[in-house]
Amino acid sequence: MNSIVMDPPEAVAAAAGTPRAKPRRRWLKRLGYVALALAGLALISHFVWVGSGDNQWKLAREHDGIKVYTRKAPGAALLQVRGETRLKSRLAPMVDLLENVSNCSDAYCYDAAVIDRVPSVPNHFASYVTYKFKMPGLAPRQYVLFVQHAQDPVSKEMTLSLTAAPNRVPRDPCCVRVTHLNNFWTFVPHADGALDVSLTQDTDLGGLPYPMANLGLIESTDLFMKMLPELMAKDKFRNVQVDGVLEATQGNP
């Protein structure tokens, strides 16, 4: 009688072409194709986004008297963002909030200092300042800025600009130094106590993917507009005076 010799399981699997391994390889290959397709789609989307834009302001959101606009320039990945609102406030408290480094904590920063005050003509102001901000989930950011304001002595309208001056002082290992920032505030005071406020942000925080950075610019601009009425109602700002700043009801200098 002939005996039947059974091959061990390993030999059977090898003879059958390792059926357990083949499905695994097929799935890995499919995942590779999917990853390549997604990478290609992301690359195409990037070039489409960067090449898009008409450099026109468009309303992104509106609520509670606040309007937020965005502007996309062809060739740029980051948006410019502008927020507008009207509140009850004198002009001096708003200027003090933005130029007095002792108000740092009111703007969510944890360290601020004046580096240098720059002589300026009447109705103007200029200084170099540095601010450090905690960024949730990110390394802290440090802003070194040239701050200046100019006021029309007749209309009392004021523009306050902030421009990055990243090489004004040595880099601090504590933080990521913001190298691109060109923001400005516009204030239009009215005799009835109303103040029209506009903030335009052209900022690159550095180290953030631009979809996240663009969303952050929109949200931060909206947040600034929401915060202002509550800040201006604080006792520390209610009666503050700023040298050289004229209110709507004051005469010309």
Side-chain angles (χ1 to χ4, degrees):
M1 179 181 295
N2 295 331
S3 61
I4 299 175
V5 179
M6 300 294 292
D7 291 333
E10 293 82 1
V12 173
T18 58
R20 294 181 181 178
K22 279 186 176 181
R24 185 180 303 161
R25 284 200 298 267
R26 285 198 295 269
W27 275 108
L28 288 174
K29 188 178 292 186
R30 290 174 183 171
L31 287 174
Y33 290 148
V34 170
L36 285 173
L38 290 176
L41 182 61
L43 187 62
I44 293 171
S45 299
H46 166 75
F47 285 113
V48 169
W49 170 255
V50 171
S52 68
D54 57 9
N55 217 26
Q56 299 296 313
W57 288 108
K58 294 179 172 61
L59 184 65
R61 64 175 63 168
E62 181 178 3
H63 65 92
D64 303 321
I66 296 170
K67 294 181 179 180
V68 179
Y69 299 85
T70 61
R71 180 166 67 182
K72 171 71 173 65
L78 291 173
L79 295 171
Q80 294 179 25
V81 181
R82 186 179 76 214
E84 296 178 350
T85 191
R86 173 176 283 198
L87 64 150
K88 285 287 186 180
S89 173
R90 294 182 301 112
L91 184 53
M94 189 69 66
V95 175
D96 186 68
L97 170 67
L98 296 171
E99 292 183 348
N100 187 343
V101 294
S102 67
N103 297 319
C104 172
S105 59
D106 292 290
Y108 297 106
C109 81
Y110 67 92
D111 187 21
V114 176
I115 302 170
D116 186 25
R117 293 196 183 276
V118 182
S120 57
V121 299
N123 303 315
H124 288 63
F125 163 88
S127 71
Y128 287 93
V129 298
T130 177
Y131 294 92
K132 295 177 183 178
F133 285 84
K134 293 180 179 178
M135 307 289 287
L138 300 171
R141 261 55 177 177
Q142 184 182 39
Y143 298 75
V144 180
L145 304 173
F146 179 59
V147 182
Q148 58 183 332
H149 76 234
Q151 184 176 26
D152 185 308
V154 177
S155 69
K156 311 303 189 301
E157 180 175 340
M158 176 181 285
T159 298
L160 190 154
S161 64
L162 305 98
T163 306
N167 299 317
R168 183 73 181 183
V169 295
R171 302 295 169 99
D172 190 329
C174 76
C175 315
V176 174
R177 178 70 56 84
V178 174
T179 60
H180 175 82
L181 184 146
N182 186 24
N183 296 354
F184 62 90
W185 295 79
T186 300
F187 307 111
V188 181
H190 298 277
D192 63 358
L195 183 67
D196 289 329
V197 179
S198 172
L199 166 63
T200 300
Q201 293 208 80
D202 177 11
T203 305
D204 185 352
L205 291 175
L208 288 179
Y210 64 79
M212 184 184 300
N214 286 332
L215 179 60
L217 284 172
I218 294 171
E219 293 298 333
S220 64
T221 303
D222 195 8
L223 178 62
F224 289 153
M225 297 298 106
K226 290 178 183 175
M227 289 169 52
L228 291 178
E230 182 178 348
L231 286 172
M232 292 299 96
K234 287 187 173 183
D235 289 339
K236 64 185 290 187
F237 294 117
R238 189 171 297 157
N239 298 313
V240 71
Q241 303 292 329
V242 177
D243 291 342
V245 174
L246 300 170
E247 302 295 342
T249 56
Q250 289 181 275
N252 298 340

